[in-house]
Amino acid sequence: MEKRNRIYEGKAKIVYLTDDPDLVIQYFKDDATAFNAAKRGTVAEKGIANNRISSKMFEYLESNGIHTHFVKRLSDREMLIKKVQIVPLEVIIRNKAAGTFCRRYGAEEGLKLETTVFELSYKRDDLGDPLINEYHALALKLATEEEIKKIKDMTFKINELMKKFFDNLGLELIDFKLEFGRFKGDIILADEISPDTCRIWEKGTGRKLDKDRFRHDLGDIEQAYQEVLSRIEK
Ligand code: UDP
């Protein structure tokens, strides 16, 4: 697989073309941003951990019938993926209250929610990724009704699978963000699944093992990512 021109550089990843028009390589950086990039920094070896963690998650989800963009992990920081057209939605699931949910609704962190919460944001950095509902998504032609239904069904299924996966590792999945892409007429899971995009707490202690350590300067950031990786690869 020959690596060619860089086509995209985001906050935490770079995407490169390959000699196959259907495939691209995503490269995981150590750069970290929070609060819509108002806070910036680097976390040593985060890119390696996130690439390895995401690869495992995609393999697990694929083996459970979820179509993803994952093809294979190429190296410590590189993953071969299908070249999708990203649906401009940030799809969030919340199992317990944390982060924006607490700020927005005055809920206490860790509150067990009466029902799982499914949320959509319009993926637009210049607008600060505003919270939207399914009508906004349709009205703005961000996705079709059929696509939104598919995304919703897949997201709830992914939540059940991921909750079980982390529970078996002594970890609790608090919330997470997914992105989906269009590929040859299908909707498939894209982007990454890592402590940058999930809140993961250690069962029993409630110790945070995710990007909140960076967001709120809790210390031991590198160790948190390595801890999740070592549990997943054990
Ligand atoms: N999230 C993300 N990217 C974003 C916004 C949120 O990966 O641009 C993840 C975040 O890490 C958390 C979940 O989605 O696991 C819910 O985040 P929340 O809405 O609470 O916002 P945040 O606390 O990131 O401001």
Side-chain angles (χ1 to χ4, degrees):
M1 186 57 55
E2 194 188 319
K3 190 161 145 188
R4 301 213 172 141
N5 290 346
R6 181 164 82 178
I7 49 167
Y8 167 83
E9 175 150 11
K11 288 168 252 176
K13 296 189 292 295
I14 306 172
V15 178
Y16 297 91
L17 292 175
T18 69
D19 48 15
D20 182 333
D22 286 335
L23 301 176
V24 293
I25 292 170
Q26 67 176 351
Y27 175 97
F28 288 75
K29 302 191 281 184
D30 288 344
D31 297 341
T33 63
F35 310 116
N36 205 19
K39 182 180 170 83
R40 290 168 184 275
T42 61
V43 177
E45 310 221 320
K46 174 172 79 75
I48 299 173
N50 283 358
N51 186 31
R52 301 187 79 103
I53 293 167
S54 281
S55 295
K56 285 280 179 192
M57 295 309 302
F58 285 134
E59 280 168 6
Y60 165 70
L61 292 172
E62 280 281 355
S63 73
N64 283 280
I66 301 290
H67 294 174
T68 81
H69 70 163
F70 182 77
V71 178
K72 65 175 171 180
R73 189 169 64 80
L74 295 172
S75 66
D76 265 357
R77 291 177 182 273
E78 292 169 318
M79 181 193 288
L80 186 64
I81 57 175
K82 292 169 183 153
K83 186 172 189 293
V84 301
Q85 180 196 33
I86 290 285
V87 178
L89 295 172
E90 300 213 331
V91 181
I92 288 172
I93 281 281
R94 300 182 187 276
N95 293 307
K96 280 189 170 174
T100 299
F101 188 91
C102 295
R103 282 195 293 282
R104 193 185 286 142
Y105 305 117
E108 196 184 324
E109 186 180 61
L111 176 76
K112 172 95 180 69
L113 302 172
E114 189 59 30
T115 179
T116 304
V117 172
F118 173 87
E119 239 174 54
L120 294 174
S121 288
Y122 181 14
K123 192 173 150 65
R124 273 282 297 264
D125 278 339
D126 58 330
L127 301 176
D129 298 338
L131 178 69
I132 59 170
N133 66 29
E134 292 165 39
Y135 288 89
H136 297 106
L138 277 176
L140 293 167
K141 292 195 177 172
L142 307 183
T144 65
E145 200 161 1
E146 195 188 357
E147 285 174 336
I148 293 169
K149 186 180 182 311
K150 181 94 192 278
I151 286 171
K152 203 168 170 178
D153 287 350
M154 286 175 76
T155 299
F156 277 97
K157 189 170 173 203
I158 291 166
N159 184 40
E160 290 312 310
L161 290 166
M162 282 179 45
K163 270 197 299 186
K164 192 167 77 181
F165 181 88
F166 283 111
D167 187 65
N168 283 330
L169 302 176
L171 302 171
E172 184 177 10
L173 181 62
I174 304 301
D175 62 22
F176 59 91
K177 185 261 307 181
L178 301 176
E179 292 184 28
F180 291 85
R182 302 181 179 100
F183 184 78
K184 297 181 189 283
D186 197 11
I187 287 282
I188 65 178
L189 181 62
D191 195 49
E192 68 176 284
I193 300 178
S194 73
D196 273 2
T197 63
C198 302
R199 283 195 174 89
I200 302 161
W201 296 357
E202 186 179 48
K203 279 202 290 179
T205 66
R207 183 162 62 112
K208 292 178 172 145
L209 296 174
D210 56 58
K211 200 164 99 173
D212 271 349
R213 302 206 77 82
F214 170 76
R215 289 190 187 95
H216 305 298
D217 299 312
L218 302 179
D220 293 335
I221 308 174
E222 288 82 4
Q223 289 85 336
Y225 285 79
Q226 295 307 319
E227 173 73 27
V228 174
L229 176 61
S230 73
R231 291 195 190 211
I232 283 179
E233 290 193 337
K234 211 176 277 166

